[in-house]
Amino acid sequence: MWYVINGTDTEESLERRLSVRAAHLERLQQLLNEGRLLLAGPYPAVDGNDPGPAGFTGSLIVAEFDSLEDAQAWANADPYVAAGVYTGVSVKPFRKVLP
């Protein structure tokens, strides 16, 4: 089943985010290689593709897992969680309808 993982950044998270971004992307690439990643990306803090020093307010990941518990465990092990980028992460089941 698909699950939505929604992380909300702490204030002033950009430096911490950048310090572990490669490890975060490596985990997403693994999901992609396994055919389990539908989409992933950050929420820019300002209206634009490159928010510069304004940074980001969070991230959205939609990926396939065997269970809600597996999705939650994967989300909890994210480098952004360990580095204190996120104030919290929610994980919810998702039913893809379109396209």
Side-chain angles (χ1 to χ4, degrees):
M1 177 168 204
W2 294 108
Y3 293 88
V4 171
I5 300 169
N6 191 43
T8 302
D9 278 30
T10 62
E11 294 290 325
E12 307 293 326
S13 65
L14 185 58
E15 187 175 315
R16 288 185 304 272
R17 179 182 269 272
L18 294 175
S19 74
V20 294
R21 184 171 186 263
H24 172 78
L25 292 178
E26 184 177 316
R27 296 179 81 232
L28 291 172
Q29 186 64 50
Q30 181 179 355
L31 289 176
L32 182 63
N33 293 347
E34 295 169 357
R36 298 172 43 208
L37 183 66
L38 184 62
L39 63 92
Y43 302 117
V46 295
D47 188 14
N49 286 327
D50 181 2
F56 301 92
T57 61
S59 302
L60 174 71
I61 299 165
V62 181
E64 188 175 31
F65 294 92
D66 290 333
S67 68
L68 178 59
E69 292 78 18
D70 288 347
Q72 186 69 61
W74 188 92
N76 290 345
D78 193 289
Y80 284 175
V81 171
V85 173
Y86 294 148
T87 60
V89 177
S90 69
V91 180
K92 297 181 180 182
F94 178 73
R95 185 172 154 238
K96 183 177 182 273
V97 175
L98 292 172

